[in-house]
Amino acid sequence: MTVSYTLEVADARFGGFSKLLFRWRGSIYKLLYKEFLVFCLLYSFFSVFYRFLLSEKQQSLFEDFAIYCDQFTTFIPMSFVLGFYVTLAFNRWWGQYTSFPLPDNLMMVVSANVHGVDEKGRLLRRTLMRYANLASVLILRSISTRVRRRFPTLEHVVEAGFMTPLEQTKLEGLKSDFNKYWMPLTWFTNLAALARQEGRIRDDIALRLLMDELNNYRGKCSLLFHYDWISIPLVYTQVVTVAVYSFFGFCLIGRQFLNPEKGYKGHQLDLYVPIFTLLQFFFYAGWLKVGELIINPFGEDDDDFETNQLIDRNIQVSMLAVDDMHQNLPPTEKDKFWVERYFSVPYTNSTVAEAHRPAFKGSTYDMRMSEEDLTIHHNTDTPIMGQYLPVSQRGSLDNVLTCRLRGGSFDSGQGISSKPFTYKDGKDDTERELKNVSLVRDGQLEVSCL
């Protein structure tokens, strides 16, 4: 059963994750303790061998080899190799989770568009959803060890009610070298086409919607099959595994505490327990175990997908949706707030404080500005503004000058002639050539300041 601890980490607080460190089921301790014990025993063996079983000359050779191993283990890029591998495995794990075929969308479409409250209509809806669930059972039998143990043969599938003996005969009678999980979905399409001919599905749009949802469902079944078929390349998995085990194999010798009297660099202390080496083993080997755990979530590990429970859930809710819930509506009534234009939903005593918090209206809603920032400033040095404003707004701007035509001609049908206009600036009586005409009204030119 999948280990869930979501409620325990709902609130971030001091030491919130510490309680999770003492769990056994689904923990890294359960995955790693055997390898950890083997590493500790081997390290202890080499330590005893070096300290008590070797002669002085042999100890010198061992010490030279230990220094050599410790020096060159840094050449193995453990963080890079493991980090990239676990990231790849996690993306694959999440993709398999999101590809799990759930019938929820399909059952809603079947319930809404396959009509008939008589026995034939009920039979059609239930059969359609049984075919959909049968397809998921067949594909999960092919990729999940848990489901395979539950349904080792097609007779067990028939006994469970997903398939009739006649349907089993048809399924086994079709000769194909490949997985035949798609056959029930083909029965689904043919039965839906028959329901359309009989008028149980009232128009082609409803049939198209049904087929679209079925294809989405079929696509997820197919994707799960391909995830099982195409794995992360074996060479990459081998490289990562060899890198981790070779690294710690050399650490068994390279991380030994050598005789401090001989003055080797970095060996001034003689400790019997290599604390940081054990921590490094715990982290790196644990990282590798995480990759091993999530690379195939359809096994029987603690955190693998609960495929059997998902099968039970899918068949139950899909049958309820298309049968018991079909046209089984509660009476429509006026809601509690029918006569209230402004209303609030009540809170319990434990949440009433939230009701007094102001509603979020935007990150700049409470931004404070000085009185000087709030003063409106009319910039009369921006002629471009008038060009992009609607005509109805240009005459209302304070930076628009009204000037009398000095040259050229104006035709409301043709616009302004190419002959340059001149205008007299009302501020300093300077006559200037008009270059930007914003608006012409009754012989007056409204222009932005140039």
Side-chain angles (χ1 to χ4, degrees):
M1 184 176 180
T2 302
V3 179
S4 178
Y5 56 89
T6 308
L7 180 61
E8 297 181 28
V9 295
D11 299 320
R13 53 184 177 270
F14 178 76
F17 273 42
S18 59
K19 64 178 67 176
L20 302 178
L21 300 178
F22 302 101
R23 287 193 172 194
W24 175 255
R25 188 171 171 274
S27 67
I28 187 61
Y29 318 121
K30 184 177 180 180
L31 282 177
L32 193 60
Y33 79 95
K34 294 180 180 178
E35 287 87 349
F36 189 79
L37 289 177
V38 169
F39 182 80
C40 291
L41 290 175
L42 289 176
Y43 186 90
S44 300
F45 168 78
F46 282 110
S47 180
V48 172
F49 185 75
Y50 161 67
R51 295 171 186 273
F52 303 107
L53 300 179
L54 295 180
S55 64
E56 185 176 349
K57 182 178 181 180
Q58 291 172 335
Q59 284 183 346
S60 297
L61 291 175
F62 183 90
E63 289 162 355
D64 292 339
F65 185 65
I67 293 173
Y68 176 81
C69 290
D70 187 42
Q71 179 181 359
F72 287 98
T73 50
T74 57
F75 285 10
I76 303 176
M78 293 290 293
S79 298
F80 173 77
V81 172
L82 274 173
F84 189 77
Y85 181 75
V86 173
T87 300
L88 183 63
F90 178 81
N91 291 335
R92 176 183 172 87
W93 173 84
W94 184 252
Q96 291 178 89
Y97 172 73
T98 55
S99 300
F100 201 92
L102 298 175
D104 298 54
N105 291 345
L106 186 60
M107 71 189 187
M108 297 300 178
V109 176
V110 170
S111 181
N113 294 285
V114 181
H115 301 280
V117 294
D118 57 341
E119 185 176 352
K120 180 63 179 296
R122 180 188 178 195
L123 179 62
L124 277 174
R125 290 188 298 274
R126 291 181 66 92
T127 304
L128 288 172
M129 292 313 303
R130 183 169 59 81
Y131 286 158
N133 282 276
L134 174 60
S136 67
V137 169
L138 294 179
I139 193 63
L140 289 173
R141 284 183 70 246
S142 305
I143 66 175
S144 173
T145 56
R146 289 182 178 182
V147 179
R148 191 70 178 191
R149 290 179 184 276
R150 184 180 183 182
F151 305 111
T153 65
L154 290 180
E155 284 74 16
H156 291 82
V157 179
V158 173
E159 181 66 24
F162 289 96
M163 184 167 50
T164 65
L166 180 58
E167 291 167 353
Q168 179 190 359
T169 303
K170 287 184 173 294
L171 185 69
E172 295 175 333
L174 182 67
K175 302 302 179 182
S176 176
D177 296 330
F178 304 98
N179 194 308
K180 293 183 284 188
Y181 70 90
W182 49 269
M183 280 189 64
L185 302 179
T186 305
W187 297 340
F188 186 107
T189 58
N190 293 332
L191 187 59
L194 181 61
R196 173 71 183 98
Q197 293 177 1
E198 296 178 354
R200 301 282 180 173
I201 300 176
R202 293 177 181 173
D203 52 49
D204 293 336
I205 297 177
L207 180 62
R208 172 63 183 274
L209 179 62
L210 187 61
M211 290 299 101
D212 288 343
E213 290 298 336
L214 178 67
N215 282 327
N216 291 335
Y217 186 84
R218 180 208 55 79
K220 291 190 174 183
C221 292
S222 177
L223 194 56
L224 281 185
F225 180 75
H226 284 85
Y227 268 121
D228 185 68
W229 185 11
I230 309 298
S231 303
I232 294 177
L234 179 62
V235 290
Y236 192 20
T237 302
Q238 290 175 335
V239 166
V240 175
T241 305
V242 170
V244 172
Y245 284 106
S246 62
F247 176 83
F248 287 106
F250 288 115
C251 284
L252 290 173
I253 298 177
R255 299 293 177 83
Q256 291 290 333
F257 290 101
L258 306 181
N259 189 350
E261 297 179 357
K262 296 185 177 181
Y264 293 115
K265 183 180 180 181
H267 291 274
Q268 289 77 24
L269 293 177
D270 187 12
L271 302 178
Y272 291 93
V273 180
I275 299 175
F276 290 99
T277 299
L278 294 179
L279 285 176
Q280 195 174 31
F281 180 86
F282 185 83
F283 297 147
Y284 282 159
W287 214 355
L288 179 64
K289 282 295 181 181
V290 170
E292 293 178 3
L293 175 68
I294 65 178
I295 197 170
N296 181 12
F298 292 100
E300 298 179 67
D301 294 321
D302 289 340
D303 272 315
D304 284 341
F305 298 157
E306 294 291 341
T307 47
N308 282 325
Q309 286 193 6
L310 284 169
I311 288 174
D312 296 340
R313 180 261 177 197
N314 290 346
I315 187 64
Q316 184 182 98
V317 299
S318 58
M319 290 304 180
L320 288 174
V322 300
D323 192 0
D324 295 47
M325 294 295 297
H326 180 69
Q327 298 299 327
N328 184 9
L329 301 173
T332 56
E333 300 178 357
K334 294 180 180 180
D335 58 80
K336 183 178 180 180
F337 315 107
W338 180 264
V339 297
E340 300 180 24
R341 184 174 181 181
Y342 302 101
F343 57 87
S344 61
V345 181
Y347 286 80
T348 60
N349 288 335
S350 61
T351 60
V352 68
E354 299 179 15
H356 302 294
R357 296 176 185 173
F360 180 75
K361 299 181 180 179
S363 58
T364 64
Y365 183 77
D366 294 325
M367 189 174 71
R368 298 292 182 259
M369 291 181 288
S370 64
E371 291 294 334
E372 182 179 354
D373 293 333
L374 296 175
T375 303
I376 299 176
H377 175 68
H378 301 290
N379 187 0
T380 59
D381 297 326
T382 312
I384 300 177
M385 182 182 295
Q387 301 177 33
Y388 298 101
L389 288 175
V391 171
S392 60
Q393 297 181 12
R394 291 176 183 171
S396 63
L397 295 177
D398 293 338
N399 67 331
V400 174
L401 298 179
T402 301
C403 314
R404 190 169 298 277
L405 287 174
R406 295 283 182 172
S409 61
F410 171 72
D411 185 347
S412 60
Q414 300 297 326
I416 301 174
S417 68
S418 59
K419 181 180 178 181
F421 293 92
T422 60
Y423 72 97
K424 190 173 183 180
D425 195 327
K427 292 184 177 180
D428 55 8
D429 292 333
T430 303
E431 188 169 307
R432 301 177 183 175
E433 181 179 325
L434 181 62
K435 294 182 179 179
N436 250 343
V437 179
S438 297
L439 178 63
V440 179
R441 288 183 183 172
D442 302 327
Q444 300 288 326
L445 292 180
E446 295 187 4
V447 297
S448 298
C449 295
L450 302 178

